[in-house]
Amino acid sequence: MTKKNTAKYRGRITALRYVKASELREHPRQWRIHNSFQQKALDEVLTRIGFAGALIARETPDGLVLLDGHLRREIAGDEQVPVLIVDVDEKEADLLIAVWDP
């Protein structure tokens, strides 16, 4: 007997990869501006603790496009960062970037 999927929400994460932060493309609709205090605070936390969570990106023909983690990308430069890859299309990505604010 085949079990029917009755989950209310779909899992959209397809992979976890470690990539150079500088290779991640910024989302063209990224609207958040991080002030110098936020930048310094995040840099200090990453220096002391490291990455305890992943950036989120979608795969495109032009490479990985960030949906979440733009400031971490900026701070990390050429360092390897953890990235969750999600299988969303462009329209879904636009919606996610508009509403996500962890």
Side-chain angles (χ1 to χ4, degrees), residues 4-85:
K4 185 178 178 184
N5 182 359
T6 59
K8 182 176 179 180
Y9 305 110
R10 293 186 288 170
R12 304 300 292 269
I13 298 168
T14 61
L16 170 65
R17 291 189 207 153
Y18 285 82
V19 299
K20 280 186 179 181
S22 59
E23 293 177 1
L24 298 166
R25 296 182 48 234
E26 290 192 10
H27 191 283
R29 289 187 175 76
Q30 158 59 3
W31 57 272
R32 290 177 186 83
I33 297 171
H34 301 95
N35 63 41
S36 60
F37 176 79
Q38 290 172 308
Q39 293 171 356
K40 185 176 183 205
L42 182 57
D43 184 51
E44 288 179 13
V45 169
L46 290 176
T47 299
R48 285 184 63 193
I49 298 171
F51 281 89
L55 290 71
I56 301 173
R58 69 182 282 262
E59 189 106 47
T60 72
D62 296 324
L64 294 175
V65 175
L66 274 178
L67 303 178
D68 182 54
H70 289 80
L71 182 55
R72 288 173 284 169
R73 173 200 174 272
E74 182 181 324
I75 290 170
D78 285 334
E79 297 287 323
Q80 296 278 325
V81 296
V83 181
L84 290 175
I85 311 302

Side-chain angles (χ1 to χ4, degrees), residues 86-98:
V86 294
D87 70 340
V88 297
D89 62 28
E90 189 172 343
K91 188 174 180 178
E92 291 169 323
D94 288 346
L95 177 61
L96 288 174
I97 200 163

